[in-house]
């Protein structure tokens, strides 16, 4: 899915209250949720709220560790562990969120990042991996080094207090999505290539 209307970006950005962050990825160590939560815990609680979407059964020990950290740092009001979501449920969460955050995961492509951009969300992603092919720092998001545990908070802090900057980056993220090839385009390209091999 994608934004039904680009006007929703403006109304969402102008809403009072914390920035609604969303993380979409299975709860596995290499996806980097634990360091993200540790970092966010140092931000003022009025600034942010995080929704975590992803499987809770692939590494139950890691999930227990995450829940223990949330309890230890008194973040139960700040973080919602939503579990796996698909279709309309996921689309509704994207519609309500301001920023996609997954800065400590090495991605071979980063489908969830681009899906977030389809809903007008700037991305806080990793500079390590393929996300840097479509996330442009200062325009449609931010790229974070895997060992940088301070810049994420600086990004969120700046967008909370400068909603005009958030608005511009949200528009830029949506336009990035609009310019990317869609599934049909990609599949047609692959089909033409394979059909050409057969014919030759």
């Amino acid at each position: 899915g994608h934004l039904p209307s680009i006007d929703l970006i403006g109304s969402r950005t102008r809403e009072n209250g914390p920035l609604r962050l969303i993380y979409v990825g299975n709860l596995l160590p290499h996806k980097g949720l634990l360091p993200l939560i540790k970092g966010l815990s140092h931000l003022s609680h009025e600034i942010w709220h995080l929704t975590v979407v992803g499987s809770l059964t692939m590494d139950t020990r890691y999930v227990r560790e995450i829940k223990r950290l949330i309890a230890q740092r008194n973040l139960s009001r700040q973080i919602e562990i939503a579990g796996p979501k698909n279709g309309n449920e996921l689309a509704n969460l994207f519609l309500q969120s301001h920023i996609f955050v997954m800065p400590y995961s090495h991605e071979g492509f980063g489908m969830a990042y681009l899906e977030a951009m389809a809903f007008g969300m700037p991305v806080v992603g990793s500079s390590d991996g393929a996300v840097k092919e479509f996330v442009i720092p200062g325009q449609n998001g931010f790229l974070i080094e895997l060992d940088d545990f301070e810049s994420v908070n600086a990004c969120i802090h700046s967008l909370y207090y400068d909603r005009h900057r958030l608005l511009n980056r949200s528009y830029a993220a949506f336009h990035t999505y609009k310019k990317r090839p869609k599934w049909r385009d990609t599949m047609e390209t692959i089909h033409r290539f394979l059909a050409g091999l057969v014919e030759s």
Side-chain angles (χ1 to χ4, degrees):
H2 55 81
L3 272 178
S5 169
I6 197 170
D7 294 336
L8 291 175
I9 293 176
S11 58
R12 185 175 67 195
T13 302
R14 288 189 295 269
E15 292 172 356
N16 294 323
L19 291 181
R20 295 186 294 275
L21 317 177
I22 187 167
Y23 164 106
V24 178
N26 294 319
L27 277 66
L28 297 167
H30 70 277
K31 292 291 187 178
L33 179 59
L34 206 58
L36 174 64
I37 292 174
K38 287 179 180 178
L40 289 174
S41 69
H42 298 291
L43 269 178
S44 172
H45 287 190
E46 69 179 15
I47 288 179
W48 64 280
H49 179 275
L50 174 66
T51 300
V52 176
V53 177
S55 172
L56 307 178
T57 60
M58 297 179 74
D59 190 332
T60 54
R61 179 181 297 179
Y62 187 66
V63 172
R64 286 196 299 272
E65 190 176 354
I66 288 168
K67 290 182 176 180
R68 188 161 51 247
L69 176 66
I70 291 171
Q72 288 172 348
R73 304 209 176 181
N74 195 29
L75 297 173
S76 58
R77 290 188 176 183
Q78 301 302 117
I79 300 175
E80 176 190 358
I81 305 293
K85 300 291 180 184
N86 290 297
N88 288 336
E89 284 186 308
L90 181 57
N92 286 333
L93 288 174
F94 275 149
L95 279 171
Q96 297 165 17
S97 301
H98 294 104
I99 306 171
F100 184 90
V101 287
M102 204 168 170
Y104 304 118
S105 177
H106 177 101
E107 298 292 328
F109 176 73
M111 180 61 68
Y113 299 77
L114 199 57
E115 288 174 345
M117 288 181 154
F119 287 85
M121 270 185 282
V123 163
V124 181
S126 172
S127 61
D128 186 35
V131 177
K132 61 180 176 288
E133 293 183 14
F134 54 88
V135 175
I136 304 170
Q139 292 187 25
N140 58 14
F142 306 89
L143 293 175
I144 307 297
E145 299 288 337
L146 290 176
D147 59 352
D148 181 354
F149 302 112
E150 296 181 1
S151 294
V152 173
N153 285 4
C155 296
I156 294 167
H157 189 275
S158 69
L159 295 182
Y160 175 80
Y161 286 104
D162 189 344
R163 296 302 173 104
H164 185 68
R165 178 181 294 178
L166 173 61
L167 183 68
N168 288 337
R169 279 159 178 67
S170 299
Y171 282 138
F174 184 68
H175 289 307
T176 297
Y177 154 75
K178 294 286 284 184
K179 291 186 291 186
R180 298 292 295 187
K182 305 303 180 283
W183 278 118
R184 181 179 297 276
D185 303 324
T186 302
M187 292 301 105
E188 286 180 352
T189 300
I190 293 172
H191 178 265
R192 285 196 300 271
F193 172 75
L194 294 175
L197 288 180
V198 172
E199 290 174 2
S200 62

